[in-house]
């Protein structure tokens, strides 16, 4: 159990980034990470130390988020925070770089969740396609398709920003 706790603490920054990619809200991401850690600790006997802890934790986090979204749909019909109100992935840069980062962040969060989550998991967290397929419990071809669609959509949005006339 001590090894699990130590590895879990080391994993927290990555887990928090992953949760932010799902929730698109810092407070909700923090709550989700806390819930995932509680779930993992209460079910520590289910973790196979031969397997990477990050995959197990990301799967727990993703499944908890899916459950939460289902509950919201039934309860309140709430959804995601609009991309322009999102404050995660804050940078302290100024000028054109900060504006470009802000615009890219908005564009990523405007993607459907299944595209943005896979894109951020591979591009930011550095998972391979095979690892992401296992994490999201989808075929590797679906991961490749989602990455392609996400990148194509972002490229199109960057090439022709919203509101541009043709």
């Amino acid at each position: 159990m001590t090894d699990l706790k130590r590895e879990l603490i080391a994993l927290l920054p990555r887990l928090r980034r992953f949760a932010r990619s799902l929730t698109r809200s810092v407070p909700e991401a923090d709550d989700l990470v806390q819930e995932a850690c509680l779930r993992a600790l209460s079910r520590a006997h289910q973790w196979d130390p031969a397997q990477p802890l990050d995959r197990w934790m990301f799967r727990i986090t993703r499944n908890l988020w899916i459950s939460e979204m289902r509950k919201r749909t039934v309860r309140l019909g709430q959804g995601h925070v609009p991309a322009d109100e999102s404050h995660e992935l804050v940078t302290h840069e100024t000028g054109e770089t900060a504006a470009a980062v802000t615009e890219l962040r908005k564009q990523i969060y405007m993607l459907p969740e299944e595209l943005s989550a896979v894109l951020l998991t591979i591009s930011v967290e550095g998972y391979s396609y095979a690892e992401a397929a296992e994490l999201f419990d989808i075929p590797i071809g679906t991961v490749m398709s989602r990455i392609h669609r996400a990148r194509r959509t972002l490229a199109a949005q960057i090439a022709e920003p919203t509101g541009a006339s043709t």
Side-chain angles (χ1 to χ4, degrees):
M1 183 73 138
T2 305
D3 289 341
L4 175 64
K5 288 179 182 178
R6 187 174 31 255
E7 287 186 51
L8 189 57
I9 289 169
L11 182 61
L12 285 175
R14 291 181 53 217
L15 193 59
R16 190 166 185 246
R17 276 194 309 267
F18 179 68
R20 279 187 281 172
S21 77
L22 296 173
T23 65
R24 300 168 187 204
S25 161
V26 173
E28 283 186 311
D30 290 342
D31 290 345
L32 182 59
V33 168
Q34 182 177 358
E35 180 80 22
C37 289
L38 288 172
R39 175 77 51 97
L41 292 172
S42 70
R43 298 180 182 177
H45 63 280
Q46 294 177 350
W47 177 52
D48 176 7
Q51 297 298 317
L53 178 63
D54 59 349
R55 291 185 196 164
W56 187 59
M57 287 303 302
F58 277 46
R59 195 172 302 117
I60 289 172
T61 303
R62 179 181 150 267
N63 290 340
L64 285 169
W65 181 245
I66 289 169
S67 295
E68 176 62 25
M69 292 309 296
R70 287 180 183 148
K71 290 176 194 174
R72 286 182 185 184
T73 302
V74 171
R75 273 193 318 242
L76 305 170
Q78 292 180 345
H80 297 292
V81 173
D84 58 343
E85 295 176 17
S86 173
H87 299 290
E88 48 276 7
L89 301 176
V90 174
T91 63
H92 298 288
E93 299 174 15
T94 59
E96 290 181 27
T97 303
V101 167
T102 300
E103 185 58 31
L104 180 60
R105 183 184 324 126
K106 286 179 184 178
Q107 297 297 332
I108 289 171
Y109 288 141
M110 287 174 31
L111 293 171
E113 181 183 328
E114 68 270 7
L115 298 182
S116 64
V118 171
L119 178 69
L120 291 171
T121 299
I122 290 172
S123 300
V124 175
E125 293 301 327
Y127 280 89
S128 70
Y129 287 9
E131 291 168 330
E134 182 181 329
L135 174 68
F136 290 106
D137 195 26
I138 57 177
I140 193 167
T142 302
V143 169
M144 294 168 69
S145 173
R146 288 180 183 178
I147 287 290
H148 175 74
R149 286 185 6 235
R151 289 177 177 160
R152 187 182 66 221
T153 302
L154 285 175
Q157 290 171 341
I158 290 169
E160 188 172 324
T162 306
S165 58
T166 314

